[in-house]
Amino acid sequence: MKVDDWPLKKIGDFLRKKKTGASLDPSKFPREEFELYSVPSFAEKQPEIVLGKEIGSNKQIINPNDVLLSKINPHLNRVWIIEGEKRENRMIGSSEWIQFPENPEIYSPYLKFFLSRQIFVNYCVLNATGVGGSLTRIKPDTIRDLDIPIPPLDVQKIIADKLDFEFGNLEEMEANLHIAIQNISVLKESLLVDIFGPTLGGEENE
């Protein structure tokens, strides 16, 4: 099957459907520990473990292999795959996520890379609402009618695994470059000390 033959579906086909039980109020379970996927915790890629009594608003119910897309500041393109198996603690997420539940038609990492494409990010930025800063958001309806190509699942996995490998190499290269820059900075400072002394031309303390 050629790329041009891949069927197209709407992003809206993969969005969370509004149904009973899709959200809950953690404060009704004050002593229960929840695994909370907040937008701030995305930076560490680790959810927070929080008691229900410490959570002041309704949250979405989250499940393994869900894909979460942040509504806030779409130029940051925060896309999170909830990996692993069902947890001991119930999993919940901020209402600031657009949720894509696990779907047999689409491989979660493939969906993640589609949502991370620059053309998609640009579209979200141009169609965000709000006055700026943290008040700029996208809505599910903003992206609902966008097309996404759906190759066979085995092809989706090949594409996602290849992209994951390439991005992994880029991250490793970036980390190695950062280390090299730090080493150069230390070496430069050491050479200056050797040449000019520890005060680098300043007056010594008495």
Side-chain angles (χ1 to χ4, degrees):
M1 182 182 289
K2 298 179 181 178
V3 173
D4 292 341
D5 295 330
W6 291 348
L8 296 175
K9 297 206 73 171
K10 300 296 183 184
I11 284 285
D13 293 335
F14 302 104
L15 289 169
R16 188 191 77 171
K17 304 297 188 294
K18 292 182 179 180
K19 59 182 181 180
T20 303
S23 63
L24 61 80
D25 180 357
S27 66
K28 292 182 178 179
F29 310 90
R31 297 186 178 182
E32 181 178 346
E33 283 189 339
F34 289 91
E35 191 169 299
L36 173 61
Y37 290 81
S38 65
V39 174
S41 64
F42 173 80
E44 300 297 327
K45 298 295 177 64
Q46 289 291 333
E48 305 167 56
I49 304 299
V50 187
L51 289 172
K53 65 181 181 181
E54 298 173 0
I55 303 172
S57 60
N58 282 11
K59 302 299 178 188
Q60 304 179 72
I61 295 173
I62 302 295
N63 292 291
N65 296 314
D66 285 356
V67 178
L68 307 178
L69 172 67
S70 174
K71 300 175 184 178
I72 305 174
N73 290 337
H75 69 279
L76 296 177
N77 190 232
R78 289 170 285 205
V79 186
W80 198 349
I81 296 180
I82 310 305
E83 299 177 338
E85 303 296 327
K86 197 75 175 178
R87 320 286 206 271
E88 180 179 348
N89 296 328
R90 282 197 281 181
M91 303 159 63
I92 55 176
S94 167
S95 60
E96 295 292 357
W97 294 111
I98 296 176
Q99 185 181 4
F100 297 84
E102 184 178 17
N103 189 300
E105 289 189 62
I106 193 165
Y107 184 48
S108 295
Y110 174 79
L111 175 58
K112 174 193 173 184
F113 284 114
F114 180 86
L115 299 176
S116 300
R117 296 170 66 220
Q118 192 60 48
I119 190 170
F120 177 82
V121 176
N122 292 344
Y123 176 87
C124 291
V125 171
L126 290 173
N127 290 278
T129 60
V131 297
S134 62
L135 299 180
T136 300
R137 287 174 171 81
I138 55 171
K139 301 176 181 178
D141 286 344
T142 304
I143 60 175
R144 187 178 298 279
D145 291 328
L146 295 180
D147 290 326
I148 177 171
I150 306 295
L153 273 174
D154 58 340
V155 177
Q156 293 181 37
K157 290 178 180 179
I158 290 171
I159 292 171
D161 291 347
K162 177 65 174 176
L163 289 172
D164 189 53
F165 175 78
E166 296 297 339
F167 276 102
N169 283 344
L170 286 174
E171 289 177 356
E172 183 179 353
M173 289 171 61
E174 183 178 359
N176 289 337
L177 179 60
H178 182 68
I179 292 172
I181 290 173
Q182 286 184 319
N183 289 341
I184 290 172
S185 177
V186 171
L187 178 60
K188 180 179 177 181
E189 184 176 342
S190 176
L191 287 172
L192 289 173
V193 169
D194 286 344
I195 295 171
F196 297 107
T199 59
L200 298 182
E203 295 182 1
E204 294 185 2
N205 294 326
E206 294 181 358

